[in-house]
Every structure is written in structure tokens, then in C-alpha cells.
Amino acid sequence: MNPSASLQRILHDIAALSADPFEGRLSGTAGARGAARYLADALAHSGAVPVGEDGFFTAIQVPAARLTGAAKLRVDGQELKHRIDYAEWSPLSAGGSAIGQLATVRFDEEIDQASLAGRIVLIPSRPEGFDVAGTIQSAADIRIAALLIESGHPKSFHKTVIGREANRIPVLRVQRSIAERYAGLEGIHVELDLPLETSTLPCQNVLGFLPGKDTGTTLLLSAHYDHLGDDPAGLRFPGSIDNASGAAVILEAARLLAGESHLPFNILIAFLSGEESGMWGARQLAADPPVPITMAINLDCLGFEPELNALRTGHAEPGHWLGDLAAKVIELEGIEVKRMAGGDDSAAFLAQGIPTIGLGQKPTLDSSVRIHTAEDNPEHIHAKPLEQGLDVLLKIIRQLNKTSF
């Protein structure tokens, strides 16, 4: 069966946003700026009017933890693999380098804190109720050089870019097998280099506008386009599901809506940056939109698995008029409604009192693609939920056309 023209365009846009030149679209990088230009050009081609401060663009400032070079960890002469054997513990790790002797700390044994100063400390198992933040604070206070903390046995470690400038020492998650291998080998040589920089950099929201018949009512359609960025000299993080998928579906909706002769109300299209480190683009837009926003639909993540079995709406309970309207449309399509709140840009608009739904596929299978890993790439994304998601989005908009505001 040949894909529809809309699905072909969506898949093309996902592949483009996921491609090498955009470098994983980490906020504040050349790759993210290239992705913003791509989306602005596509909006212009659709017929949308620019409503940013500079054409389609509005500048924002986004803090994030960004690697500026390749991470390295060598233990007893063996080079370990970043993201596979270990990874920085965001948002609790500082950047930095450390060279020294290994010390093992077990919480069921007496600890000579004075002997740990300047050492690289391995915690080979975490007791029940382990206080990660408190342990890191105490380690920094007694001048431990770095922490290696056992963190299970994932296929690969998830990446995040939330950071805190106040962090004081490098902290790494390590595979359980790695922790078991080196636990108790006191004094072996460890070299660590984590060029992780937490800073605020200029970024861009991309804003377009489709005027409607009711000029006093504006529906926002939004999706974040930023992702985690490729590791320098390491793994690629294309972010095809998170959230090239949402940006591509919103872009296709904009194309289709721009082709309608009479829109019932204004449509504001927003591609947002800074979601991965704290919803910064959404916060700024919610607080200072180019036109008053009457209601909003945010889309984040489609394509985890072959079917769109479940959609979240951004609301934990019924009773919100827009959430309930969306839930009825979703259920009529034979899709389960997942009552979940928070976790995406919709929360920023709800915090400003704007009626909002946060649409996104809720994975239901053990085999679903894992986001925040290198697995989230165009080869693994499932096409059918993209088309289903576009259909649900357009049906919600049509239902809004029948609603009095």
C-alpha cells in the first residue's frame, strides 16, 4: 500500500530533521539553528505569515548541559565506552577532569571519610532509599574528586541535557557489571574527563500565523524541535520520535490548513526550542505570545510502535473542556486515552491558564522504541501512528470549529 501524500511529506521532514547536518538539534548549537531555518522555510512555503520578532524567529535564552568534547573514562588501563558502560548523571553532574586512585564505598560498612579526599569513589550498589543528591553533596563537601554510581544494566544509558551550574563534581552512572568488576580493587588508577558545560545560549522559536474568520480566537499548534545533540566523537542522537515526529506532523497540519479557503479562527504555529532542558521556548511563548492564545494543542512524540494504541492528553483527570473534547475524538478513533499530565510543553501553557492539550503517543509494548537513546532514529520510527496522529489532530480542530468560545 502506497503511503499518502501527507505521510510522504511527514516522513521526508522527519528524515531531514534527523539527518547529520542538524547534529541532533541540541538547543544553542549550529545544528538546532539549521533545523529552525528548515522549519521557517517550510512554513513560508506553506503560506504562513511570519510573526516572530525577526521574521519567523523569536530569540530565547536556553540553559542546558552540553558536552563540548568526547567523554572519557579509563579504569586500570581499560577505556570504557560512553553511553554503553557509563554516562554522566544529569542533572546532578558537573563537568571536569579527575585523575587518581579508586576507592570503594559500601553503605553497610564503616566509612573513613577523611581517606576519600581526592579519590574517585565507586558506589557498587545503592541501598533502598538511596539519596543521590544528598550523597553527591556530601561527597563534594569532603572533596571527593568524582563519583561512579552503579545504575543497573541498561542496554545503553538514556541521555538528558538538564544541568545545574551549581553542581560541583563529576558524577557518572556505571553499568552494574562494571561496578562489580572494579568494586574492592582499592587504589587502581582511574582517569576521567567529562567536558560537560552548563550554560545559557541563544536559541530560536519559529512562529507562523494563518489568519481566520474569527480574528479574536487563536488556536496554537505547537511542537518542540530541539533534541539532545550528538555526542562529540560519539553516538548520534537523531531524535526522530522525540520530537521530529511532532514537528513534522504539526508542519503538515499547517500545510493542509493553509490550503483551506476559510479557516474558522486564527492558527498560530510554533516550533519550540529548549524543551529538553526545561520547556524554555514554551515558557516564553506562553508568557509573551505574538497574539493572544485562546487554546493550544501541543504534540510530542509519535511512532514508538506499529499502531497508535494509546494517546495521552496532558490531563490526569476528566473535567477540562478541551481535554474532554480531545478524549471523545480519540476514543471514537478506537484509541485508548491515557490520563497523564505534565512532562511536555503543554504544561507551560496550562500554567498560564491557557486551555491546552498535550498529545503524544503512550507506548504500550515492551518492544517500543526507546527515546533519549541512539535507537530513536528514522530507521526505527513507525509510520502508521504518524498518519493516525495527524488524523486525530485535524479531527480535534474540526470539532473545535463546532464549539462556542
Side-chain angles (χ1 to χ4, degrees), residues 57-73:
F57 305 116
T58 291
I60 60 171
Q61 299 293 317
V62 176
R66 303 172 178 92
L67 283 169
T68 60
K72 296 180 181 179
L73 177 62

Side-chain angles (χ1 to χ4, degrees), residues 67 83 88 157-161 228-232 237 372-373:
L67 283 169
R83 303 284 172 218
E88 61 275 14
F157 285 104
H158 281 218
K159 181 178 182 179
T160 62
V161 293
L228 306 170
D230 297 340
D231 282 343
F237 286 83
H372 285 229
T373 72

Side-chain angles (χ1 to χ4, degrees), residues 50 67 90 137 159 176 178 230 242 255 292 314 325 368 400:
L67 283 169
S90 296
Q137 180 68 38
K159 181 178 182 179
R176 181 172 299 156
I178 299 294
D230 297 340
D242 185 16
R255 292 186 185 109
L325 181 150
S368 296
L400 287 171

Side-chain angles (χ1 to χ4, degrees), residues 33 45-46 48 53 61 81 85 101 127 148 159 169 198 303 325 356 369 377 382 403:
R33 290 190 291 273
H45 188 71
S46 77
E53 294 173 351
Q61 299 293 317
K81 295 179 181 178
D85 296 326
Q101 294 180 326
L148 313 179
K159 181 178 182 179
I169 62 172
T198 298
L325 181 150
T356 305
V369 179
N377 61 52
H382 294 277
T403 304

Side-chain angles (χ1 to χ4, degrees), residues 279 342-352 356:
M279 303 184 291
D344 63 26
D345 281 334
S346 65
F349 301 105
L350 286 167
Q352 289 288 339
T356 305

Side-chain angles (χ1 to χ4, degrees), residues 236-283:
R236 287 217 62 230
F237 286 83
S240 301
I241 293 173
D242 185 16
N243 186 36
S245 67
V249 170
I250 291 293
L251 179 56
E252 181 59 16
R255 292 186 185 109
L256 297 175
L257 292 168
E260 296 188 4
S261 55
H262 298 290
L263 289 174
F265 36 69
N266 303 325
I267 305 288
L268 174 62
I269 305 107
F271 299 112
L272 305 171
S273 190
E275 190 272 350
E276 296 291 358
S277 59
M279 303 184 291
W280 297 101
R283 291 183 188 184

Side-chain angles (χ1 to χ4, degrees), residues 125-131:
S125 62
R126 292 174 291 164
E128 186 176 351
F130 179 60
D131 179 2

Side-chain angles (χ1 to χ4, degrees), residues 309-313 323 326-328 330-331 335-339:
N309 297 317
L311 269 173
R312 47 187 167 78
T313 64
K328 289 179 181 179
I330 293 166
E331 288 169 345
I335 299 168
E336 182 183 0
V337 175
K338 287 291 186 180
R339 300 283 183 180

